[in-house]
């Protein structure tokens, strides 16, 4: 079971090391933190597994504002989130650019958490399956690749997919790509048990609740209980 905390644009370098040292990784659970770029170097020496939140598809070049897989590896970072819905929504990420980022990162030796998920309108129109199949159309199973099902309507909204909705989407994703799938979207200590005990749910990508030690540690403990 993998529990990853997506810090988004929260936590400065000065807030990072103490927080990471206070995380507990119970047996059977891999705990990952995904800090913003300037905080990565504070997280790495604490010994927790550290992923970035985005990575470019070239090793280096004239790409102002971007960071490469080779740079992240050099900094001791082990992986990256790719294709998060906020990147797709605010920064023009597409299925093609997201998968380009992921393939280069995987080839360079990073692990990747690759995000997919439908919007509220798409779910209401009954298009969830089609949208997931389209997003997954570019994706191929690779070593080091994990997917995250993050229904956009459940991210940061407090609305969580029911365990049945999550299980249905995860089963579809696994049928198409055949790699482990994390659930993301308003995961909290109160709903973690129901979501993580679904057979096709292999862990969680946690946003808001990963910013507080108490809630993030509680979710990791729940994962360990379900595992054992
Ligand atoms: P949330 O975010 O847990 O705050 O909904 C999840 C994510 O965007 O990865």
């Amino acid at each position: 079971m993998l529990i990853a905390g997506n810090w988004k644009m929260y936590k400065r370098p000065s807030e990072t090391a103490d927080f990471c040292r206070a995380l507990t990784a119970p047996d059977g659970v891999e705990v990952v933190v995904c800090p913003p770029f300037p905080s990565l170097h504070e997280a790495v020496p604490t010994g927790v597994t550290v992923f970035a939140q985005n990575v470019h598809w070239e090793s280096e070049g004239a790409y102002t504002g971007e960071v490469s897989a080779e740079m992240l590896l050099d900094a001791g970072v082990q992986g990256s989130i790719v294709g998060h819905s906020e990147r797709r929504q605010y920064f023009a990420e597409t299925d093609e650019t997201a998968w380009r980022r992921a393939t280069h990162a995987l080839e360079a030796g990073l692990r990747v958490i690759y995000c997919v998920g439908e919007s509220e309108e798409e779910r209401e129109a009954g298009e969830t399956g089609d949208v997931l199949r389209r997003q997954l159309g570019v994706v191929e199973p690779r070593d080091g690749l994990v997917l995250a099902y993050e229904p956009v309507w459940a991210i940061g909204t407090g609305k969580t997919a029911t365990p049945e909705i999550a299980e249905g989407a995860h089963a579809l994703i696994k049928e198409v790509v055949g790699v482990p799938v994390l659930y993301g979207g308003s995961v909290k200590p109160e709903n973690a048990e129901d979501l993580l005990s679904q057979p096709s749910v292999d862990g969680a990508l946690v946003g808001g609740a990963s910013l507080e030690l108490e809630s993030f540690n509680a979710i990791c403990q729940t994962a360990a209980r379900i595992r054992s």
Side-chain angles (χ1 to χ4, degrees):
M1 187 90 64
L2 193 161
I3 306 293
N6 175 11
W7 292 4
K8 310 194 178 188
M9 203 169 72
Y10 294 100
K11 289 202 193 293
R12 299 166 191 197
S14 58
E15 299 169 289
T16 296
D18 285 350
F19 185 92
C20 291
R21 276 193 219 99
L23 291 174
T24 52
D27 280 354
V29 180
E30 184 178 18
V31 178
V32 172
V33 294
C34 311
F37 289 131
S39 300
L40 292 172
H41 77 284
E42 290 286 341
V44 167
T46 68
V48 66
T49 303
V50 180
F51 281 25
Q53 298 172 17
N54 189 27
V55 57
H56 197 256
W57 56 77
E58 294 289 349
S59 306
E60 59 183 8
Y63 298 103
T64 303
E66 292 283 333
V67 169
S68 76
E70 288 76 2
M71 291 168 184
L72 292 171
L73 284 161
D74 196 57
V77 172
Q78 296 185 34
S80 183
I81 299 173
V82 172
H84 191 277
S85 66
E86 287 151 15
R87 302 289 322 164
R88 295 174 188 257
Q89 189 178 348
Y90 305 127
F91 303 100
E93 190 81 81
T94 63
D95 295 330
E96 286 67 32
T97 56
W99 185 242
R100 255 178 108 182
R101 293 178 192 276
T103 42
H104 181 84
L106 290 162
E107 277 157 21
L110 283 178
R111 295 160 66 192
V112 165
I113 299 175
Y114 190 86
C115 304
V116 295
E118 81 287 2
S119 67
E120 186 146 38
E121 303 79 68
E122 289 163 340
R123 170 154 290 275
E124 279 169 5
E127 292 168 2
T128 300
D130 291 345
V131 170
L132 292 177
R133 283 179 200 284
R134 190 206 73 220
Q135 292 174 338
L136 296 171
V138 293
V139 176
E140 286 162 13
R142 299 278 174 92
D143 283 348
L145 175 67
V146 168
L147 264 70
Y149 170 59
E150 296 210 311
V152 179
W153 47 272
I155 295 178
T157 57
K159 289 188 203 169
T160 318
T162 61
E164 294 72 30
I165 288 180
E167 175 59 23
H170 282 231
L172 183 153
I173 294 168
K174 287 186 152 191
E175 191 189 301
V176 178
V177 188
V179 296
V181 185
L182 313 181
Y183 173 78
S186 298
V187 176
K188 306 265 177 302
E190 304 77 57
N191 58 28
E193 173 141 20
D194 284 347
L195 289 161
L196 292 172
S197 42
Q198 297 305 307
S200 304
V201 175
D202 303 303
L205 182 54
V206 185
S210 76
L211 297 171
E212 301 291 334
L213 274 177
E214 202 182 330
S215 48
F216 194 54
N217 277 333
I219 292 168
C220 295
Q221 294 297 338
T222 301
R225 252 199 332 276
I226 292 166
R227 243 317 278 248
S228 59

